[in-house]
Amino acid sequence: KRVAANIDIPFTVGGGINELSDVDRLLNAGADKVSINSSAIRNPDLVDKIAKHFCSQVCVVAIDAKQTETGWKCYLNGGRIETDKYLFDWAKEVNNRGAGEILFTSMNHDGVKNGYANEALAALADRLSIPIIASGGAGAKEHFRDVFLEGKADAALAASVFHFGEIKIPDLKSYLCAQGVAMRR
């Protein structure tokens, strides 16, 4: 409630969401969307239920995945527990179940600051009908350009480059506009 009272932009809340009553409580507190990851893998029907009761736009499914010898494997609990699910199959399943967006974090790229997993992102964009948010890998302005133009992401998440002032948001927006990336100003 305090966050909602102090900002004028949409925001998404994740963590500890296991049932519809959790979603209802967060939306009533001012969140615009919820993000589920481990709970979606453990209970895929939760995606259907959120989409049915609150509309697809409310349900963001976060997917933490790591590229392994057998392909992009999905993980639970912040990337600590490997599952039997594979990124592309799982993303397609939640798309079909009614998720409104996918937040894909490449664990191979997260914190490394060498760029996003653009090949995997582009493959997701080609397979899905919902927006994809890229996470993991931002270290330079060019990485943002590439994630939109090569990775076909609809949005890109970054943390440390903004928190530590390595990239200023107004500078990034100007750069991306000059590179032909459409965005809200």
Side-chain angles (χ1 to χ4, degrees):
K1 286 182 179 181
R2 290 192 319 255
V3 170
N6 287 286
I7 64 172
D8 60 359
I9 59 172
F11 71 103
T12 304
V13 177
I17 301 165
N18 296 302
E19 54 191 50
L20 286 179
S21 62
D22 297 326
V23 178
D24 190 51
R25 182 176 39 82
L26 291 166
L27 295 176
N28 285 324
D32 295 280
K33 300 177 183 188
V34 296
S35 177
I36 58 174
N37 185 342
S38 298
S39 60
I41 290 176
R42 290 185 178 111
N43 178 15
D45 289 338
L46 182 59
V47 177
D48 304 76
K49 290 176 183 176
I50 294 171
K52 180 180 176 185
H53 285 82
F54 301 104
C55 296
S56 290
Q57 69 189 29
V58 167
C59 186
V60 177
V61 174
I63 302 175
D64 295 335
K66 184 186 294 183
Q67 191 170 28
T68 69
E69 291 179 11
T70 61
W72 283 93
K73 294 288 299 236
C74 297
Y75 285 74
L76 294 169
N77 295 59
R80 293 185 301 275
I81 301 171
E82 183 179 311
T83 71
D84 62 349
K85 296 195 180 296
Y86 285 90
L87 170 64
F88 301 111
D89 296 334
W90 177 234
K92 187 67 174 173
E93 179 178 338
V94 297
N95 182 144
N96 293 342
R97 286 179 172 273
E101 296 176 69
I102 298 287
L103 167 58
F104 164 51
T105 300
S106 167
M107 295 170 51
N108 304 84
H109 294 78
D110 199 30
V112 180
K113 297 185 179 181
N114 287 332
Y116 294 90
N118 291 327
E119 286 184 29
L121 285 160
L124 283 170
D126 290 343
R127 289 173 166 86
L128 306 178
S129 62
I130 57 177
I132 301 160
I133 305 163
S135 177
K141 292 177 193 175
E142 295 79 12
H143 297 152
F144 289 93
R145 176 200 62 210
D146 295 346
V147 78
F148 294 120
L149 300 179
E150 296 170 18
K152 303 179 186 179
D154 297 284
L157 184 153
S160 64
V161 294
F162 299 136
H163 296 314
F164 299 117
E166 297 167 28
I167 299 174
K168 305 281 189 226
I169 292 174
D171 295 343
L172 177 60
K173 286 183 172 186
S174 295
Y175 170 79
L176 291 173
C177 282
Q179 298 294 311
V181 177
M183 75 181 77
R184 287 188 227 153
R185 299 273 294 165

